[in-house]
Amino acid sequence: NHRCPPGVTIASIKVCQAVMMSDVCVFVPVSPAAERLRYILGEDDDMPNPTLFTEMDTLQQDGDELEWKESARWVKFEEKVEDGGERWSKPHVSTLSLHSLFELRTCLQTGTVVLDLEGYSLPQIVDEIIERQIDEGMLSPDLREKISFVLLRKHRHQTKKPIHRSLADMGKASGGGARECPSALWSRMAIGIPIHIIVLPKLRNKFMKKIPRDAEASNVLVGEVDFLDKPFVAFVRLAQATTLGGLTEVPVPTRFLFILLGPTGKAKSYNQIGRAIATLMVDDLFSDVAYKARDREDLIAGIDEFLDEVIVLPPGEWDPKIRIEPPKKVPTADKRKSVHSLNELGQPNGTAGGSGGHAEDEEMPVAHELGEELAHTGRFCGGLFLDMKRKLPWFPSDFYEGFHIQSISAVLFIYLGCITNAITFGGLLGDATDNYQGVMESFLGTALSGTVFCMFSGQPLIILSSTGPILIFEKLLFEFSKNNGIDYMELRLWIGIHSCIQCFLLVATDASYIIKYMTRFTEEGFSSLISFIFISDAIKKMMGSFKYYPINTDFKPDYVTAYKCECLAPDPMASMIFNGLVPVPTDNTSSLFGLNITDLDWSQLSKKECVKYGGSLVGNTCKYVPDLALMSFILFFGTYSMTVSLKKFKFSRYFPTKLRKLISDFSIFMAIMTFVGLDRLIGLKTPKLIVPTEFKPTRPDRGWIVLPFGKNPWWVYLASFVPALLVTILIFMDQQISAVIVNRKENKLRKGCGYHLDLFWVGVLMAVCSFLGLPWYVAATVISIAHIDSLKMESESSAPGEQPQFLGVREQRLTGILVFVLTGVSIFLAPVLQFIPMPVLYGVFLYMGVASLSGIQVYAFSFWERIKLYMMPSKYQPDFPFLRHVPLRRVHLFTLVQIICLAVLWVLKSTVLAILFPVMILGLLVVRKMLDMVFSQHDLAWIDDILPGKDKKKDKKKGDKDDTKKKDKKKGRADDSKDKVRNVKIYCHQLAGLEQKKPG
């Protein structure tokens, strides 16, 4: 390593960092501020610095008295006291003038800076500051009393409430008094009243929830007085955070104190300087500098670094009075704080025309990663054992973390989706297999498979369900068995056994690692197809109501008196036929309604009785039915739209946050109950949910256990290996792609996942369900995404104006287990469930499909967003990152390929070829591989992901290239190294000579 002194230019001194690259000393220019901060922030510190609450008070005249009045506050964004003085402004991004920042820098250079002051009261701190200024000759001794008198005036905080208050404000029981912070309260503390008795009302203050528990305060005091001829400036950092009487609005101890008093006539300037230091104190990087600063120069370096990152808006193109809304997502400050970033700081505002480093827009997107869970261990069952080792420590927490009110809404939502799915697929299976499998088997299989999977799997958030391709396979298998005289249930049992064994082989060989070759191209195609299937099925089922219950389009209110329907007696010939078919008593009488058949009043018979006894219906209203289709559509669309509206209600401006979140969590349950009540109120006989009421197989001639031998030839047991291979591929692809979507890093799952463990239990359940004659189950993508969405957690304590931060998902096993247990006992809930109209459940299906379609689009440049670009003129297109780096025509071409693939999948799934659905998904992998020949790796990195093989190949090429360079340089390295070191030393000495010759 070569130690290089600072590089010196004629105009200014630059700190240079020597980096050894291939024995060449490369000088990377780094600003002095960044160099100083690199050492300040580079110190090891396990404890993070507390969050700062900043309050700015301005000196104001109240009659003959002076007082400090609160004018603004910061937790993260700025809140001002409006001119009326009755309320706080909306939180907004602080906009500062460059002049105020430069004046603040000057204030810190010329004023008093006291770091780690041992202060326990405001009078003591004020005396210490004044004493230091007098000792340094910055303040005349005769001004001591005047300065002290002003700084110790009482503080009045924003407590005034308007006479007219909103309902939400009225709900805050302690909202008015909690913000008050009178000096009398602190004096009560001084005489020995316990702190919890005094502070308890303040802890109920809603604003306190916006401040972290370990927060500290920085107070800014600015004002103008008539006895000063130059500013009085002081910046103080206390050694220990201390509660300084009524200085702060909230009971938070003060750590920093900034004071600016100046001559009259510059109040606006002082106010801007105060806002500048307050904004700096809540800046993540500068607050760290303020805590760790060793002297005045460290603070100035923090301001210089802040100035290096400031973006200037021209005054002629922007109105400074506009308040900028807080962004929905604030970029993390970790990158700014990191020593590595400070070392490689590109100085966006400090270099002109330089090429140092890539700009932010030139950074490449994050590489495609799926985690270590898909690593190929090369050992027998290596991945399975790692999954078990990873998940076992979390097993207890998977249960007690489920005890939360949010889990109740998730259980109700997923339960309704599961029973609707079970009834739908159970009915279709009954039609396809001549009731060998029906609704009862579907309920029992869903309950059994789901409960076992959620109890022992690697990812219990995944929900198992029947799928369309499995239904088609069952239908073809039954027809094949029927046409060839083979027992269907026994053949199905052996297919399940072979598929179970094949799943075990895939688990033992860590075959799940091939999933990492599935990029967003494949994930989006698969997920979009499943979501579209859900949406189309819900709409198809709804449209079926119009077929069974047609709307009366011929009805005319003006001719209501002409509408009639009469039952006419049959003609004599029909009567003879009727009497021949229906035996007539010997006395030529009938007990029909106690009347003789000869004198029967046909006009009084009902429609069914008229048809039953040979009469004929005549009239233009005989085919009238109530508008059940219209009512069903109201229930269907009403459930969907109300669910969507209530789900978004947590982002509304109405009502307190907790109430909005509660309404959002129970949105689906509230929508279902609302429209079930509406259906009961109207009283129309809309189609209702039909649940089995007896625990017995759907087909009377079959039992609950399927025997493996005795009904088919011996060769069938071996030949079933071939169809089992198709089932295994289907299960593997469906299960693992759904698992990848659930486990993606955007969901912030902290307990890891278990691809091999999941596949192991799916294989076990295949065999168990085959022996019991129950349907086969695999991960349901749409319902699993809905499960994830219903369990998302957000931060409750956030700064005013800051959007709630997504914290992750409530990972537990309890909701899944309860869902499937309730599904199993649904046969005993038939008296209650029979009141739920089917159109309401179709609305839930539609919501799940639309929500999952939105849930899979986790990237700003997702498939759906790129489709919408086709219909947008260029000037209206969103500013997506990929549009800055990839030509629009290439983006459209990539999206067109995805649309074509999705269309092909949609067409094929509607035919008999749907049995080859897993092969279609593998076809997406082939298409994605072929795209490497059409698109550059740069373009694919932005609009998709680079295949892992490409990364390895790239790394290998780079390694080979480096090896070649090393071999080429190996011969002359011994001779060249001495010359290079000598040249570096000569250059460094020349720079040092320039430094010595420079004046001063």
Side-chain angles (χ1 to χ4, degrees):
N1 296 329
H2 308 290
R3 296 291 299 173
C4 298
V8 181
T9 62
I10 301 300
S12 61
I13 299 176
K14 289 260 185 187
V15 179
C16 286
Q17 180 184 10
V19 181
M20 293 303 300
M21 296 177 62
S22 302
D23 297 330
V24 179
C25 186
V26 180
F27 292 93
V28 180
V30 180
S31 71
E35 181 70 15
R36 179 178 287 270
L37 297 183
R38 182 164 62 96
Y39 292 107
I40 297 173
L41 302 180
E43 299 175 356
D44 294 333
D45 190 3
D46 296 333
M47 294 297 294
N49 294 320
T51 301
L52 282 177
F53 165 76
T54 302
E55 176 183 328
M56 187 175 83
D57 295 354
T58 56
L59 186 64
Q60 295 189 4
Q61 189 89 16
D62 185 14
D64 296 333
E65 293 291 331
L66 290 175
E67 67 175 5
W68 293 98
K69 183 179 180 182
E70 184 178 13
S71 59
R73 67 185 181 190
W74 288 257
V75 178
K76 190 174 186 66
F77 301 102
E78 181 178 3
E79 293 178 273
K80 290 182 179 179
V81 177
E82 302 288 18
D83 294 337
E86 292 190 351
R87 68 166 192 164
W88 287 101
S89 70
K90 287 185 61 178
H92 56 276
V93 178
S94 298
T95 52
L96 308 173
S97 64
L98 275 179
H99 187 66
S100 65
L101 289 170
F102 287 126
E103 285 187 321
L104 172 63
R105 191 179 188 277
T106 303
C107 288
L108 291 181
Q109 282 180 324
T110 59
T112 299
V113 175
V114 184
L115 302 179
D116 298 328
L117 175 66
E118 296 290 343
Y120 302 99
S121 67
L122 185 59
Q124 174 196 354
I125 296 171
V126 170
D127 289 341
E128 180 71 22
I129 296 171
I130 295 175
E131 189 65 33
R132 293 204 180 197
Q133 289 228 357
I134 293 175
D135 292 342
E136 295 173 3
M138 301 170 62
L139 183 68
S140 174
D142 58 347
L143 296 177
R144 177 196 297 269
E145 297 298 330
K146 293 183 179 181
I147 293 290
S148 179
F149 175 81
V150 171
L151 293 180
L152 296 179
R153 292 300 84 204
K154 69 176 182 179
H155 292 258
R156 182 158 59 93
H157 302 290
Q158 174 61 19
T159 58
K160 187 175 181 181
K161 290 288 182 180
I163 298 176
H164 303 287
R165 300 171 62 191
S166 66
L167 292 175
D169 288 335
M170 291 179 181
K172 302 172 186 176
S174 59
R179 286 187 179 176
E180 297 182 5
C181 191
S183 301
L185 184 143
W186 305 105
S187 63
R188 289 163 63 194
M189 290 175 52
I191 62 176
I193 298 178
I195 181 65
H196 68 274
I197 296 178
I198 302 171
V199 178
L200 185 59
K202 297 181 71 62
L203 293 179
R204 291 198 298 263
N205 182 7
K206 187 174 180 62
F207 183 69
M208 284 298 296
K209 297 179 181 179
K210 305 291 184 180
I211 304 176
R213 293 183 178 179
D214 60 345
E216 296 178 349
S218 63
N219 292 94
V220 178
L221 307 178
V222 297
E224 56 179 3
V225 291
D226 55 2
F227 56 81
L228 288 177
D229 55 0
K230 63 178 181 179
F232 175 90
V233 182
F235 179 88
V236 179
R237 183 182 69 197
L238 301 180
Q240 296 293 332
T242 307
T243 302
L244 301 177
L247 187 63
T248 310
E249 170 193 355
V250 289
V252 175
T254 297
R255 171 73 73 166
F256 297 96
L257 187 65
F258 178 82
I259 301 173
L260 172 59
L261 292 177
T264 57
K266 295 185 178 181
K268 185 176 180 180
S269 176
Y270 302 152
N271 187 71
Q272 292 300 318
I273 295 173
R275 290 183 60 250
I277 186 63
T279 304
L280 280 168
M281 294 307 296
V282 295
D283 179 71
D284 293 318
L285 182 56
F286 186 85
S287 63
D288 280 3
V289 173
Y291 271 100
K292 298 180 180 180
R294 297 161 297 186
D295 51 31
R296 183 196 310 268
E297 297 303 321
D298 290 346
L299 294 174
I300 296 174
I303 296 179
D304 290 341
E305 190 277 335
F306 186 85
L307 285 168
D308 279 336
E309 298 185 66
V310 161
I311 305 298
V312 178
L313 296 175
E317 302 175 12
W318 173 74
D319 185 2
K321 295 181 181 179
I322 294 176
R323 290 176 179 173
I324 302 176
E325 292 281 341
K328 292 184 178 180
K329 185 177 181 182
V330 180
T332 178
D334 295 338
K335 185 176 180 180
R336 294 176 59 208
K337 292 182 182 180
S338 67
V339 177
H340 179 75
S341 297
L342 290 169
N343 287 344
E344 299 181 355
L345 195 61
Q347 299 300 321
N349 294 332
T351 57
S355 59
H358 294 283
E360 182 181 359
D361 290 344
E362 295 176 2
E363 294 179 359
M364 293 295 289
V366 180
H368 175 55
E369 288 183 21
L370 288 179
E372 62 179 7
E373 295 89 353
L374 289 176
H376 189 265
T377 62
R379 302 188 303 271
F380 178 78
C381 293
L384 178 63
F385 290 130
L386 288 178
D387 286 348
M388 296 172 64
K389 182 180 179 182
R390 185 183 304 111
K391 298 299 296 185
L392 195 59
W394 297 104
F395 197 74
S397 66
D398 283 343
F399 289 93
Y400 64 75
E401 287 185 4
F403 290 95
H404 191 273
I405 191 171
Q406 187 182 22
S407 301
I408 300 176
S409 63
V411 168
L412 293 174
F413 174 32
I414 303 303
Y415 165 68
L416 290 170
C418 283
I419 63 170
T420 307
N421 205 40
I423 291 173
T424 303
F425 280 98
L428 295 175
L429 273 173
D431 295 338
T433 62
D434 197 13
N435 286 330
Y436 275 103
Q437 298 176 76
V439 176
M440 175 57 71
E441 288 78 10
S442 182
F443 266 80
L444 182 60
T446 301
L448 174 64
S449 301
T451 304
V452 173
F453 186 85
C454 289
M455 181 72 74
F456 302 109
S457 67
Q459 183 48 270
L461 296 176
I462 293 176
I463 300 296
L464 297 190
S465 177
S466 297
T467 61
I470 289 181
L471 173 63
I472 295 174
F473 181 85
E474 296 272 17
K475 181 177 181 180
L476 295 177
L477 184 65
F478 178 77
E479 292 177 353
F480 173 81
S481 304
K482 184 178 180 180
N483 296 334
N484 292 276
I486 298 176
D487 185 77
Y488 163 69
M489 298 301 291
E490 187 177 294
L491 172 62
R492 185 178 178 276
L493 168 61
W494 280 99
I495 291 176
I497 294 174
H498 282 294
S499 182
C500 175
I501 296 173
Q502 291 166 3
C503 287
F504 289 166
L505 291 177
L506 293 175
V507 171
T509 56
D510 294 346
S512 297
Y513 83 96
I514 67 172
I515 299 298
K516 64 184 179 181
Y517 293 99
M518 293 186 179
T519 64
R520 290 198 303 269
F521 177 87
T522 307
E523 290 180 31
E524 290 175 347
F526 175 81
S527 303
S528 299
L529 177 64
I530 302 300
S531 299
F532 287 146
I533 290 175
F534 257 69
I535 295 171
S536 65
D537 284 349
I539 295 176
K540 283 180 181 178
K541 295 178 188 300
M542 188 59 243
M543 291 300 103
S545 300
F546 289 88
K547 177 181 179 181
Y548 294 112
Y549 309 106
I551 296 178
N552 293 319
T553 57
D554 296 332
F555 179 79
K556 297 178 181 180
D558 291 340
Y559 298 96
V560 66
T561 56
Y563 290 108
K564 61 180 180 178
C565 181
E566 296 179 345
C567 179
L568 301 181
D571 56 24
M573 184 60 67
S575 179
M576 292 175 60
I577 298 175
F578 175 75
N579 291 333
L581 295 176
V582 180
V584 180
T586 56
D587 57 355
N588 201 25
T589 61
S590 175
S591 59
L592 292 174
F593 298 95
L595 299 174
N596 293 330
I597 193 170
T598 56
D599 58 355
L600 183 64
D601 188 0
W602 291 87
S603 63
Q604 299 299 319
L605 297 181
S606 67
K607 176 181 177 180
K608 290 184 178 179
E609 292 169 345
C610 181
V611 175
K612 180 178 181 181
Y613 298 111
S616 58
L617 296 169
V618 179
N620 48 13
T621 59
C622 292
K623 295 183 179 180
Y624 170 80
V625 292
D627 287 336
L628 295 182
L630 182 59
M631 184 63 191
S632 299
F633 181 80
I634 292 174
L635 298 177
F636 166 74
F637 188 73
T639 303
Y640 167 74
S641 57
M642 184 175 179
T643 302
V644 172
S645 300
L646 294 181
K647 201 69 178 177
K648 296 179 180 179
F649 193 74
K650 64 180 176 181
F651 303 111
S652 171
R653 300 171 185 258
Y654 304 102
F655 303 112
T657 304
K658 285 188 175 180
L659 180 58
R660 295 201 309 266
K661 191 174 186 304
L662 190 66
I663 292 174
S664 176
D665 289 341
F666 285 87
S667 58
I668 298 164
F669 177 73
M670 293 172 65
I672 291 174
M673 294 304 297
T674 298
F675 286 94
V676 168
L678 177 64
D679 178 72
R680 295 293 297 169
L681 181 64
I682 300 300
L684 294 178
K685 295 183 178 180
T686 52
K688 300 296 193 296
L689 180 64
I690 300 175
V691 183
T693 56
E694 297 182 17
F695 185 73
K696 63 179 182 180
T698 305
R699 189 180 176 96
D701 59 348
R702 60 150 291 193
W704 284 117
I705 301 297
V706 179
L707 300 178
F709 303 103
K711 295 184 178 180
N712 291 330
W714 64 268
W715 57 267
V716 174
Y717 309 145
L718 300 178
S720 57
F721 174 85
V722 177
L725 187 61
L726 276 177
V727 176
T728 302
I729 297 175
L730 167 63
I731 290 175
F732 178 81
M733 299 298 292
D734 212 344
Q735 174 70 36
Q736 302 298 48
I737 292 179
S738 300
V740 166
I741 294 172
V742 168
N743 295 323
R744 58 170 36 133
K745 60 183 179 181
E746 287 80 9
N747 289 329
K748 296 184 179 180
L749 303 181
R750 70 186 191 282
K751 296 184 179 181
C753 50
Y755 294 93
H756 312 283
L757 186 58
D758 290 346
L759 188 60
F760 171 81
W761 281 109
V762 169
V764 171
L765 292 171
M766 281 285 294
V768 172
C769 290
S770 299
F771 272 103
L772 296 177
L774 304 178
W776 294 322
Y777 293 92
V778 72
T781 307
V782 171
I783 303 181
S784 299
I785 293 176
H787 192 206
I788 289 282
D789 185 65
S790 63
L791 292 171
K792 286 184 176 180
M793 299 182 296
E794 293 180 338
S795 59
E796 295 183 359
S797 176
S798 57
E802 185 180 15
Q803 295 290 334
Q805 301 296 313
F806 173 58
L807 302 179
V809 179
R810 199 174 302 280
E811 299 177 64
Q812 35 72 48
R813 301 178 185 270
L814 205 57
T815 55
I817 293 174
L818 288 176
V819 163
F820 292 111
V821 169
L822 285 175
T823 303
V825 301
S826 292
I827 56 176
F828 306 107
L829 301 177
V832 177
L833 297 178
Q834 66 182 359
F835 293 111
I836 301 179
M838 288 304 296
V840 169
L841 298 182
Y842 298 155
V844 175
F845 253 49
L846 178 63
Y847 171 77
M848 292 172 66
V850 174
S852 63
L853 190 62
S854 302
I856 61 177
Q857 313 298 338
V858 295
Y859 305 95
F861 38 93
S862 62
F863 177 41
W864 186 245
E865 295 294 338
R866 284 187 276 109
I867 289 177
K868 292 191 289 186
L869 291 179
Y870 278 106
M871 299 172 283
M872 293 184 187
S874 298
K875 63 180 179 179
Y876 296 122
Q877 292 176 356
D879 186 22
F880 292 137
F882 70 97
L883 290 178
R884 302 181 182 182
H885 304 275
V886 183
L888 185 59
R889 54 185 176 81
R890 306 292 289 174
V891 175
H892 286 336
L893 177 61
F894 185 86
T895 308
L896 181 62
V897 173
Q898 281 188 292
I899 294 174
I900 293 174
C901 291
L902 184 60
V904 171
L905 289 176
W906 181 268
V907 172
L908 292 180
K909 72 94 185 173
S910 304
T911 64
V912 180
L913 295 177
I915 196 174
L916 302 177
F917 181 76
V919 181
M920 303 175 198
I921 302 300
L922 290 176
L924 289 179
L925 294 179
V926 177
V927 174
R928 172 59 186 86
K929 181 69 174 177
M930 295 172 61
L931 290 179
D932 284 338
M933 297 182 291
V934 180
F935 295 88
S936 66
Q937 295 302 305
H938 172 271
D939 292 351
L940 290 174
W942 280 104
I943 56 181
D944 187 45
D945 286 316
I946 297 178
L947 293 174
K950 288 289 181 180
D951 293 338
K952 294 180 180 179
K953 188 175 180 180
K954 183 178 179 180
D955 294 341
K956 183 179 180 181
K957 287 184 178 179
K958 183 178 179 182
D960 295 341
K961 188 176 181 181
D962 292 341
D963 293 340
T964 304
K965 287 183 178 180
K966 290 180 181 179
K967 290 180 181 179
D968 293 340
K969 292 182 178 180
K970 190 173 181 180
K971 295 181 180 180
R973 176 172 295 177
D975 297 334
D976 293 343
S977 60
K978 295 181 180 180
D979 295 336
K980 291 179 180 178
V981 172
R982 183 171 63 252
N983 293 336
V984 167
K985 289 182 177 180
I986 292 173
Y987 179 66
C988 291
H989 283 306
Q990 290 175 349
L991 293 176
L994 288 175
E995 186 176 11
Q996 292 176 359
K997 293 178 182 180
K998 186 175 181 180

